[in-house]
Amino acid sequence: MSLWVDKYRPHTLDTIDYHFDVSKRLKALVVYGPSGAGKKTRVIAVLHELFGAGVEKMKIDVRTFTTSTNRKLEFNVVSSPYHMEITPSDLGNNDRVVIQDLLKEIAQTEQVDFSGKHRFKVVIINEADSLSRDAQAALRRTMEKYSKNIRLVLISNTTSNIIAPIKSRTLLIRISAPNLQDITKILDKLSEKQEVSLPSSQEERELILNRVAIASKRNLRRALLNFEALVMQNQELKTTTPMITLDWEGVILKLASNISRDRNVARISSSRTVFYELISHCIPPKLILKNLTFDLLKLVNDNIKPSIVELASIFDERLSLGTKSIFHLEGFVAKTMVAIEKGV
Amino acid sequence: MSKPVLDFGLGSLDFKNKFLAGGNGNNDGKDEIYKDKSESPNDTQKDTDLSGKESVANDTTRNITPSTQVSLGSSIIEKNTNAKVITLPNGKIVNLKKKPSRQEDPESAIDALKQEKENYGFNINELYGRLEVKRLKEAPSSRNQDSYIPQNNILWAEKWRPKSFFDLLGNEATNRRILKWIKDWSRVVFDQNLKPITTEDSNPQSKFTDPFGRPSKKILLIHGPPGLGKTTVAHVIAKQAGYEIMEVNASDERSGQRVRDKINNSLNSQTFSGKPVCLIADEVDGAAEFGFVKVLLDLINEDSRAVYKYQNSESSKFKEDNGKKKKQPKFLLRPIIAICNDLYAPSLEKLRAQSEIINFKAPTERELRDRLRDICKHEKINITNQQLQEIVLLANYDIRSCLNILQFGGGLNNSNDLRKKDSQVSWFSIVNEIFRRRRDKKKNEQFKELSEIININPSYDKIINGCFQSYHDVTYNDSQMSKPALISDWLFFGDIMGKTTYEGYGDLSYYSSQVALQFYNLFGDLGNRENLKIKSDYEHFESRRSNFNLLRQIHGNLNAQLRTLLKPHYLSTDALPLLDHIITPELKSINNIKENDQLKLRQAANALSGFGLQITDAKDDSYNDIFTTYPQFHTISKFDPLTVKKQNQKRTQLFPLMLKELDVMKAKKRAFSKVDQGEGPSDGVSQTSKDFNALRNQYEQIAEAEAKNKKPKTEVKIWVKYHEGFSNAVRKPVKWNALWG
């Protein structure tokens, strides 16, 4: 209804514009892939195929749970008559309670559907990779035992955090990010529908759209948001129109270029301030590390690149394992500086 | 290696006790080491004598312990008869008395005890207590007859609690805000012939203001870290405003009906003193407080219902109703102040929206120090500025714990080095120590010493964080940042070890002390002499939390479609920064809006409503009127204050236009629903806005369009498929008439 991202979201499988082959194989699943690749959209489209338009009638319920320590938790559930979408990781370590209580509750009630067509309900679990071990363990038995009444779709970015028993019980499907041509095509289609004032020549048109696609790093959601923002900000789009850069990305880029320019302790200490700033703006530390790494790679000599990538992977692991992201972000900067100094 | 040190310290103390009591302990090694570690207690005591004029009792009894409250033995009271009264030239009366002899006192105390309990052995603490009390009792009495005696039993934190508004420390603006809030209640609380503002006797605005002139938010929620005096301020101000205070804190039963009765009773009844009651709900952020918070919320809801009912009924009628009070919702007629530490605790989620929130900040170090010095003067403690500062830092600006340290941290006032005192070394002095390589010791010796100190300190986390915060500011030899790079590995180790505390598979955080030692290894340098000012990341932490809370709020407002699409962290990384641009479209000109621009505005308005954002007017930092969204999200999407300003300017231009657009959208929606019901779009229009005519036209168009669409609809036939019986075996077709005829 509102944003283009939402307005032009495909509702059925045949309207999804890329990865045609993947759509045909959807069953009962773990769907994984980078963000903005269209995982959720695809799943909803499958549901649409199965249940018809009723899936789109979504509403938000608030459920309350009681943990073993008698704490009350509130939890939002988006549901339609045919499916239910939960994000257990909202509750942090208490996600097990949701998995146990909620899923069992759904699983143990049989769908009353006189047409007899669909005897099961679909539960979509978001951010399955941040489910705690306990929750995943609770999940695996539920999956089999109640498979008559319930179908699970787990959506996650990677499968590495999902425990093996779950992997073996599900079909893993990877949705890769759309490539630049895909995005360009989609944007083109959209701009026709919205009557966006683009240059008439095909070439220039593609050039602009391609730039949007590049700027959004093959993330379709972001590409759409970005494109809409761009259209809103400009009377007409030309090949010279500047792209909209996000503040936080700009900050990281600046940090990267600073690091590549000079390296000393004062720089480390100033980078700490930047990191604090970024973290307090709710930018996930891993994303900071990722962006910083890619920005750095553009700026340094080829011979240093492997070592920077290696460092990034080490510190990415540390970010996952540890809790004090500021230590590790700064550690990455310090080590990178050393690496660059050695390589120069 | 470390634990023995700690045990040893305690052991030696124990040992001393035995020695004193029985006099039969063997006085070897232990005692000597005790002296090495912390200067022998004797020295400490001489200087700390309150009067300083006379040597009192036995030196070793100086320790102030909680057992000072032990009642006085009779023999001690007798002592006072030796006093001689002298009147000084200036009219003061001074009580001189004989010096008690040294050996006599402990023995007499012991004798007294012996009389009571034969020789069944005695409690050494009690003995200490007696001597202590006696000493304290005698010391001030030598100066002034009626001095401090009874107050020795009081915690200083209680004793020096501010008594009036002018005694209050800290942010005066905050204090005034609280006072103002509570004063706003005066009208309803103190005015005997209270007559609510009625709709007749005042301007039409009164519909929106409170009929009793109460503040718009009925609960005051004070939050801030512990020990800053939140409770005190609430008490003092409420008292100042003439209220009797009724405090409900975590120690009281606060669940469900019981607390409801209690609160209702106190809010609606009179006290003995005749003063009205002000309810102070302390410590409401606990996990078990849902019930309590619910009671508070119910009170507010009931009140708002009452206000609504009142405003929508005639005032005369209201008075009649007042007579037969039965089902009338009650007004909330007394102020309620709630106090918490953590504003973002889950239990407070709903209360936050309903209450006036006051953030309590720590007073400045200077203010705190001045107050402490004042207290020290009254308590006759000699203490240097430096030491006071150290105490303030140690307590982390927590004034209550400052006072506790002053009161119980005996011996502090004459040892320059905190380490010499037989108590824990504060984490920040450890941090300082870590970076300070000593000239007079070998590196490994100092390492050993440090490791002992660090190991007995429980706050590894603080020490490591402190080291991390300050290692940039110290001097050290290094080639090409190899040391910061090295320490990052150790910090990772420390992080992993520290994390085990929360995981419940066994605590390994003990090992993270090694990280602190690594800091010494790498960054300890002779050049570091000055005391470091250790920064804190608390601020970042706090702003992150408030931003995160904001994200969740925005995410909660999203409509269902968008919510499935956007996770909270997409909001901060992608959606919100771009939304900023989307909701402020670039128009050709503000005054003359073309069709194309109109489209954009509509789209922007659509985006706003999809995100559940509202447009409100507000003030910016320099108190200009601006339009902005509610909730505001520039703390998440923007980094540069300049761009925020620019954005605000642009929004202020555009948002009035968009408000209009939103109004139109709303009106349309309403019109559609009306048309659906088969009514003409007549009323409801008048309220909407200025461009009445334009809207009217639109309505008519909509009505026409809708009417056209409707016609074919009515011709649609209805088919009903009905299956009788449970299975298809007995299925037979059923006619319409069979069902409805």
Side-chain angles (χ1 to χ4, degrees):
Chain A
M1 91 164 254
S2 51
L3 292 176
W4 288 357
V5 179
D6 189 28
K7 194 168 171 187
Y8 292 105
R9 189 177 188 187
H11 296 289
T12 55
L13 282 179
D14 19 307
T15 49
I16 293 183
D17 292 315
Y18 58 97
H19 296 333
F20 297 104
D21 49 331
V22 178
S23 310
K24 288 176 197 146
R25 284 188 248 137
L26 293 180
K27 277 176 200 145
L29 350 136
V30 173
V31 183
Y32 67 105
S35 62
K39 300 178 289 293
K40 181 81 73 54
T41 308
R42 211 166 282 268
V43 170
I44 301 276
V46 171
L47 297 182
H48 192 273
E49 197 94 321
L50 281 171
F51 302 112
V55 175
E56 311 272 324
K57 284 181 195 139
M58 287 186 269
K59 61 183 192 329
I60 300 166
D61 298 331
V62 180
R63 301 265 190 138
T64 32
F65 295 93
T66 322
T67 62
S68 49
T69 51
N70 248 337
R71 247 183 81 196
K72 277 195 182 138
L73 300 169
E74 284 194 351
F75 182 62
N76 287 317
V77 179
V78 179
S79 64
S80 80
Y82 303 104
H83 87 291
M84 172 174 281
E85 200 185 311
I86 54 176
T87 316
S89 51
D90 282 355
L91 297 182
N93 280 329
N94 289 312
D95 52 0
R96 189 177 52 95
V97 187
V98 181
I99 296 280
Q100 283 175 337
D101 289 8
L102 189 66
L103 285 193
K104 261 197 201 139
E105 182 194 317
I106 305 164
Q108 286 171 344
T109 39
E110 265 187 51
Q111 279 285 88
V112 182
D113 182 1
F114 285 121
S115 66
K117 235 167 89 190
H118 310 295
R119 292 228 152 238
F120 57 85
K121 209 167 185 179
V122 175
V123 174
I124 302 176
I125 299 179
N126 286 321
E127 296 177 45
D129 41 357
S130 46
L131 279 180
S132 68
R133 281 289 147 98
D134 287 350
Q136 294 195 34
L139 191 61
R140 62 182 186 185
R141 194 68 189 116
T142 321
M143 248 171 167
E144 281 185 338
K145 209 169 161 194
Y146 304 107
S147 64
K148 207 173 102 197
N149 298 329
I150 195 169
R151 292 292 141 83
L152 287 171
V153 180
L154 278 68
I155 297 184
S156 75
N157 286 92
T158 67
T159 54
S160 57
N161 284 340
I162 297 178
I163 56 174
I166 286 189
K167 278 190 214 165
S168 93
R169 284 176 174 83
T170 50
L171 178 67
L172 302 177
I173 294 177
R174 181 180 149 81
I175 313 254
S176 56
N179 56 30
L180 293 180
Q181 284 87 348
D182 287 335
I183 293 181
T184 315
K185 243 184 260 165
I186 292 164
L187 291 181
D188 197 25
K189 222 161 137 186
L190 185 149
S191 58
E192 248 166 59
K193 278 188 202 153
Q194 277 293 334
E195 294 166 11
V196 175
S197 57
L198 281 166
S200 50
S201 93
Q202 182 67 23
E203 236 170 72
E204 281 183 29
R205 214 178 152 92
E206 262 177 24
L207 195 72
I208 296 173
L209 297 179
N210 205 30
R211 276 177 64 206
V212 177
I214 292 169
S216 18
K217 303 195 171 139
R218 289 178 65 193
N219 177 338
L220 185 58
R221 172 185 29 241
R222 184 136 160 226
L224 289 171
L225 279 168
N226 206 340
F227 190 49
E228 183 172 357
L230 207 59
V231 172
M232 293 297 245
Q233 286 300 310
N234 297 285
Q235 286 305 320
E236 48 184 327
L237 296 181
K238 297 185 193 110
T239 48
T240 50
T241 311
M243 289 289 133
I244 293 170
T245 50
L246 301 186
D247 273 16
W248 64 272
E249 290 194 327
V251 169
I252 294 179
L253 185 66
K254 199 171 154 206
L255 176 66
S257 66
N258 280 341
I259 291 174
S260 71
R261 195 157 4 96
D262 58 349
R263 293 159 291 275
N264 47 42
V265 177
R267 181 63 65 209
I268 299 183
S269 127
S270 73
S271 71
R272 176 190 292 176
T273 329
V274 177
F275 287 137
Y276 268 132
E277 190 90 317
L278 284 164
I279 292 174
S280 63
H281 278 74
C282 291
I283 309 292
K286 286 188 121 185
L287 202 60
I288 300 175
L289 181 69
K290 188 177 152 195
N291 271 38
L292 181 60
T293 310
F294 281 105
D295 288 340
L296 273 173
L297 287 180
K298 282 177 212 147
L299 296 166
V300 297
N301 294 336
D302 281 349
N303 60 337
I304 310 169
K305 283 179 183 171
S307 52
I308 288 185
V309 173
E310 196 194 335
L311 285 174
S313 70
I314 291 171
F315 280 92
D316 194 47
E317 190 204 11
R318 290 185 181 178
L319 282 176
S320 313
L321 292 176
T323 51
K324 308 236 161 60
S325 27
I326 190 75
F327 288 1
H328 309 311
L329 287 173
E330 184 169 308
F332 174 70
V333 169
K335 288 221 166 183
T336 309
M337 283 184 176
V338 173
I340 296 176
E341 283 292 318
K342 269 183 197 155
V344 169
Chain B
M1 170 72 228
S2 66
K3 293 296 172 191
V5 174
L6 179 66
D7 294 345
F8 169 67
L10 285 175
S12 65
L13 245 164
D14 249 8
F15 160 73
K16 265 212 159 314
N17 291 351
K18 270 187 211 141
F19 180 62
L20 225 163
N24 57 350
N26 50 347
N27 184 4
D28 55 27
K30 285 185 175 179
D31 203 15
E32 278 169 34
I33 301 174
Y34 181 77
K35 277 182 184 167
D36 282 349
K37 276 289 153 204
S38 62
E39 268 180 25
S40 100
N42 294 4
D43 296 304
T44 351
Q45 283 131 24
K46 272 178 197 152
D47 298 304
T48 53
D49 270 347
L50 287 187
S51 66
K53 279 183 183 169
E54 54 184 348
S55 64
V56 189
N58 196 315
D59 282 347
T60 40
T61 61
R62 171 64 181 90
N63 270 357
I64 301 182
T65 56
S67 51
T68 44
Q69 287 147 11
V70 175
S71 64
L72 296 172
S74 55
S75 63
I76 297 170
I77 291 171
E78 282 169 21
K79 280 262 161 232
N80 283 344
T81 51
N82 292 340
K84 194 180 177 189
V85 181
I86 286 179
T87 314
L88 291 179
N90 57 6
K92 261 186 184 173
I93 297 172
V94 175
N95 216 349
L96 291 183
K97 64 186 178 62
K98 246 184 181 174
K99 259 189 190 175
S101 71
R102 265 178 182 259
Q103 272 77 31
E104 206 180 286
D105 278 339
E107 270 164 21
S108 70
I110 290 168
D111 284 346
L113 266 174
K114 269 186 182 162
Q115 280 165 16
E116 279 168 30
K117 290 185 183 174
E118 296 303 326
N119 37 15
Y120 212 78
F122 13 59
N123 185 347
I124 183 63
N125 284 331
E126 201 178 328
L127 201 59
Y128 260 152
R130 284 173 181 232
L131 288 170
E132 178 59 31
V133 168
K134 190 174 95 181
R135 198 185 56 75
L136 284 175
K137 194 180 156 76
E138 280 167 4
S141 68
S142 68
R143 291 184 160 196
N144 207 333
Q145 201 83 31
D146 49 8
S147 62
Y148 290 88
I149 305 158
Q151 285 151 359
N152 286 321
N153 297 336
I154 307 177
L155 280 177
W156 285 0
E158 287 298 325
K159 185 173 166 187
W160 296 103
R161 207 177 262 279
K163 302 281 184 314
S164 82
F165 188 79
F166 300 101
D167 289 344
L168 291 175
L169 261 192
N171 195 339
E172 190 160 339
T174 315
N175 295 343
R176 281 193 186 283
R177 244 178 91 195
I178 303 173
L179 189 64
K180 165 96 173 45
W181 183 86
I182 217 160
K183 277 285 177 203
D184 281 349
W185 284 86
S186 297
R187 189 164 174 276
V188 60
V189 174
F190 293 105
D191 197 349
Q192 289 293 322
N193 324 313
L194 172 70
K195 224 177 96 193
I197 303 167
T198 54
T199 25
E200 295 134 32
D201 62 41
S202 59
N203 49 358
Q205 283 274 315
S206 71
K207 246 200 157 144
F208 304 103
T209 56
D210 194 90
F212 299 105
R214 296 172 298 179
S216 61
K217 303 262 174 102
K218 305 288 182 299
I219 284 187
L220 188 77
L221 184 62
I222 306 178
H223 74 102
L228 300 188
K230 296 181 294 299
T231 312
T232 309
V233 166
H235 276 254
V236 165
I237 290 181
K239 214 178 263 170
Q240 188 103 350
Y243 290 87
E244 182 82 359
I245 288 149
M246 150 97 180
E247 186 178 327
V248 183
N249 56 31
S251 65
D252 301 316
E253 170 67 53
R254 288 212 277 205
S255 59
Q257 194 57 41
R258 277 172 79 178
V259 74
R260 192 184 303 262
D261 292 346
K262 198 171 168 190
I263 289 181
N264 279 339
N265 276 341
S266 61
L267 288 182
N268 299 322
S269 55
Q270 286 281 334
T271 54
F272 284 119
S273 58
K275 285 183 190 167
V277 161
C278 168
L279 183 72
I280 296 184
D282 209 348
E283 301 151 8
V284 289
D285 49 356
E289 308 296 344
F290 280 96
F292 183 58
V293 171
K294 176 132 198 316
V295 172
L296 292 181
L297 280 172
D298 284 349
L299 278 174
I300 300 177
N301 288 339
E302 196 181 346
D303 174 70
S304 66
R305 272 209 311 283
V307 171
Y308 178 79
K309 202 164 176 189
Y310 164 72
Q311 279 169 344
N312 287 289
S313 64
E314 294 295 310
S315 61
S316 54
K317 207 176 149 198
F318 177 76
K319 271 174 200 158
E320 276 170 38
D321 284 352
N322 237 356
K324 38 165 189 174
K325 244 182 194 173
K326 266 200 165 170
K327 275 184 182 174
Q328 197 74 16
K330 276 183 200 147
F331 287 106
L332 178 65
L333 298 177
R334 297 287 181 263
I336 298 179
I337 301 177
I339 300 172
C340 66
N341 293 135
D342 181 6
L343 183 62
Y344 300 107
S347 57
L348 295 179
E349 202 142 311
K350 287 191 179 123
L351 196 62
R352 272 206 307 269
Q354 301 277 7
S355 36
E356 175 98 18
I357 292 169
I358 287 189
N359 179 11
F360 223 78
K361 292 209 179 74
T364 59
E365 192 189 316
R366 211 197 149 78
E367 277 177 310
L368 206 52
R369 234 170 41 209
D370 289 348
R371 170 58 56 93
L372 286 179
R373 196 199 322 288
D374 239 28
I375 293 173
C376 285
K377 222 164 104 194
H378 278 99
E379 296 287 352
K380 304 182 189 68
I381 291 179
N382 297 319
I383 196 160
T384 63
N385 242 350
Q386 172 75 19
Q387 283 162 342
L388 273 179
Q389 187 182 349
E390 213 146 340
I391 289 174
V392 169
L393 277 175
L394 178 70
N396 209 359
Y397 295 93
D398 176 342
I399 190 162
R400 178 169 39 208
S401 73
C402 283
L403 287 174
N404 285 341
I405 292 171
L406 274 179
Q407 187 175 10
F408 296 114
L412 180 88
N413 42 354
N414 79 328
S415 64
N416 283 325
D417 191 347
L418 276 174
R419 276 172 55 210
K420 286 183 182 148
K421 134 179 102 78
D422 187 36
S423 79
Q424 233 158 42
V425 185
S426 64
W427 64 269
F428 58 86
S429 54
I430 292 185
V431 171
N432 273 321
E433 210 57 26
I434 282 172
F435 291 114
R436 198 178 290 154
R437 172 89 179 79
R438 292 187 169 224
R439 212 176 287 272
D440 52 342
K441 280 188 184 132
K442 281 189 189 146
K443 190 163 185 181
N444 58 353
E445 267 173 26
Q446 201 191 342
F447 184 89
K448 230 170 166 183
E449 196 178 289
L450 265 177
S451 114
E452 278 164 16
I453 300 171
I454 293 168
N455 277 330
I456 60 166
N457 195 304
S459 44
Y460 302 125
D461 210 40
K462 271 189 177 160
I463 296 175
I464 294 176
N465 208 19
C467 290
F468 175 74
Q469 294 297 341
S470 39
Y471 82 86
H472 290 313
D473 305 330
V474 301
T475 49
Y476 57 90
N477 290 324
D478 192 12
S479 67
Q480 297 192 332
M481 291 152 298
S482 65
K483 285 183 174 177
L486 243 166
I487 203 70
S488 74
D489 295 339
W490 280 103
L491 283 171
F492 171 59
F493 173 77
D495 188 4
I496 296 294
M497 292 299 132
K499 204 177 111 187
T500 55
T501 317
Y502 308 105
E503 284 177 339
Y505 303 119
D507 187 358
L508 298 175
S509 63
Y510 179 71
Y511 291 97
S512 53
S513 62
Q514 298 307 313
V515 180
L517 292 173
Q518 283 301 326
F519 268 104
Y520 167 72
N521 260 350
L522 294 171
F523 300 103
D525 197 278
L526 290 169
N528 300 320
R529 299 255 69 99
E530 294 293 302
N531 263 351
L532 291 165
K533 200 166 161 75
I534 296 164
K535 294 172 220 148
S536 155
D537 56 351
Y538 179 75
E539 218 168 279
H540 299 286
F541 182 71
E542 192 68 357
S543 76
R544 176 160 167 253
R545 261 173 29 126
S546 86
N547 273 342
F548 195 73
N549 199 49
L550 184 62
L551 269 190
R552 283 183 55 151
Q553 191 188 350
I554 293 177
H555 191 246
N557 287 340
L558 293 179
N559 64 27
Q561 302 281 338
L562 273 172
R563 189 192 290 232
T564 63
L565 201 73
L566 299 165
K567 292 185 216 166
H569 80 254
Y570 295 157
L571 279 178
S572 61
T573 54
D574 298 352
L576 288 182
L578 287 168
L579 187 70
D580 262 346
H581 296 282
I582 291 173
I583 59 174
T584 49
E586 191 72 49
L587 304 181
K588 263 186 189 143
S589 78
I590 301 284
N591 305 324
N592 180 19
I593 293 171
K594 294 268 160 55
E595 193 186 341
N596 200 8
D597 288 345
Q598 189 68 39
L599 216 67
K600 275 188 179 177
L601 272 178
R602 191 161 304 152
Q603 203 173 326
N606 257 326
L608 265 185
S609 65
F611 269 82
L613 296 169
Q614 283 154 9
I615 295 175
T616 56
D617 45 353
K619 304 259 190 234
D620 67 1
D621 298 338
S622 44
Y623 289 93
N624 297 317
D625 280 316
I626 54 162
F627 278 97
T628 178
T629 58
Y630 178 81
Q632 279 200 55
F633 55 85
H634 67 80
T635 47
I636 296 174
S637 61
K638 294 287 179 212
F639 282 79
D640 187 1
L642 260 180
T643 56
V644 173
K645 210 170 174 191
K646 230 185 252 168
Q647 183 198 20
N648 279 339
Q649 280 170 2
K650 202 164 172 193
R651 282 182 172 182
T652 308
Q653 283 180 337
L654 282 170
F655 277 9
L657 296 172
M658 276 166 64
L659 266 178
K660 229 182 259 172
E661 193 63 39
L662 281 171
D663 272 350
V664 171
M665 270 165 57
K666 240 187 258 165
K668 256 188 203 167
K669 210 171 169 188
R670 207 178 310 146
F672 266 114
S673 60
K674 286 229 167 117
V675 170
D676 282 347
Q677 287 161 16
E679 287 172 30
S682 52
D683 43 13
V685 183
S686 52
Q687 291 177 9
T688 42
S689 70
K690 304 150 205 164
D691 28 21
F692 179 82
N693 279 329
L695 282 178
R696 164 64 60 79
N697 286 337
Q698 263 168 336
Y699 280 122
E700 277 161 7
Q701 281 166 13
I702 293 161
E704 273 171 31
E706 198 55 27
K708 268 180 206 163
N709 290 337
K710 256 197 144 180
K711 268 174 197 165
K713 259 188 200 164
T714 51
E715 286 159 20
V716 172
K717 285 177 184 172
I718 303 168
W719 295 90
V720 179
K721 201 172 165 189
Y722 177 66
H723 295 169
E724 199 176 40
F726 289 112
S727 74
N728 288 349
V730 287
R731 186 176 178 180
K732 63 174 186 184
V734 174
K735 293 275 163 51
W736 178 258
N737 287 341
L739 283 172
W740 304 98

